[in-house]
C-alpha cells in the first residue's frame, strides 16, 4: 500500500499491525505470569491463604475461605496447577462477576480433593472461549494435565461455581 501510494490502506494496515503487537505483548505478559511459580516452601495451602489475602486487599468483594483439610500433600506440579486454577477463578470473579460475595472451599469427598470457587455475581449462560479470553479453557487444560476435572455451574443473575475435582493420590 505504501509503494502504490495508497495512504488510507497503509494506515489501516499499520493500525492492524499495532493492534496485533499489543495483543501479543499482553498474551506474553499473561503467559509469564501464569508460569511464574508463586508457591513457597510452605506449599499449596499457605499459597492459597496468601491468594485470599491478596484478593481481599484488591477487591471490595467479601471472600470467605474455608479449608477443611488439616493436611494436603500433593506433588509440586499438582500444587502449581491447582494454585493457578484457583487464581484464575478468583481473577474471573473480580473482573467479570459483579459479585458482592465469593467463597473458596478446599475439601475432600469420595476420593477427590475438591476446590470450589463460587460467587453471587451476574452468572453466565456460556463459557465458550471469546477472542482474548481463554481463562476457562486454560483452567480445563491445567486440570487435565494433573488428572483432574473442572465443573462449572452458572445461571444468569445467580452467580457461578467453578469446581476442580482432583483424585486423591493412592
Amino acid at each position: 500500500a505504501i509503494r502504490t501510494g495508497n495512504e488510507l490502506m497503509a494506515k489501516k494496515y499499520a493500525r492492524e499491525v499495532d493492534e496485533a503487537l499489543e495483543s501479543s505483548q499482553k498474551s506474553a505478559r499473561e503467559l509469564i505470569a501464569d508460569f511464574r511459580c508463586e508457591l513457597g516452601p510452605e506449599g499449596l495451602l499457605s499459597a492459597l491463604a496468601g491468594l485470599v489475602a491478596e484478593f481481599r486487599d484488591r477487591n471490595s468483594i467479601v471472600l470467605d475461605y474455608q479449608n477443611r483439610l488439616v493436611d494436603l500433600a500433593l506433588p509440586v506440579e499438582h500444587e502449581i496447577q491447582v494454585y493457578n486454577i484457583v487464581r484464575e477463578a478468583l481473577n474471573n470473579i473480580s473482573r467479570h462477576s459483579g459479585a458482592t460475595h465469593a467463597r473458596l472451599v478446599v475439601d475432600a469427598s469420595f476420593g477427590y480433593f475438591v476446590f470450589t470457587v463460587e460467587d453471587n455475581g451476574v452468572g453466565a449462560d456460556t463459557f465458550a472461549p471469546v477472542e482474548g479470553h481463554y481463562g476457562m479453557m486454560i483452567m480445563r487444560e491445567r486440570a487435565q494435565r494433573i488428572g483432574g476435572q473442572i465443573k462449572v455451574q452458572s445461571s444468569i443473575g445467580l452467580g457461578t461455581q467453578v469446581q476442580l475435582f482432583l483424585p486423591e493420590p493412592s
Side-chain angles (χ1 to χ4, degrees), residues 107-149:
D107 204 353
S109 179
F110 300 104
Y112 288 87
F113 292 120
V114 183
F115 300 83
T116 303
V117 180
E118 57 191 4
D119 66 68
N120 69 344
V122 297
D125 57 357
T126 181
F127 287 92
V130 176
E131 185 66 33
H133 299 276
Y134 304 102
M136 189 59 64
M137 182 177 72
I138 292 170
M139 283 193 288
R140 290 184 194 284
E141 290 172 358
R142 287 182 182 282
Q144 288 173 350
R145 279 186 214 139
I146 57 175
Q149 181 180 4

Side-chain angles (χ1 to χ4, degrees), residues 54-109:
E54 182 181 313
F55 182 93
R56 288 174 176 159
D57 287 344
R58 292 186 178 182
N59 295 282
S60 60
I61 301 167
V62 175
L63 176 62
D64 298 322
Y65 174 47
Q66 299 171 11
N67 173 16
R68 297 179 181 153
L69 302 178
V70 176
D71 191 22
L72 178 64
L74 293 173
V76 173
E77 171 65 16
H78 287 56
E79 289 192 347
I80 291 169
Q81 299 299 351
V82 169
Y83 175 85
N84 284 315
I85 290 167
V86 170
R87 183 181 67 182
E88 180 64 27
L90 289 173
N91 283 340
N92 286 344
I93 290 172
S94 64
R95 289 182 190 151
H96 308 296
S97 75
T100 57
H101 287 82
R103 188 165 71 137
L104 167 60
V105 179
V106 178
D107 204 353
S109 179

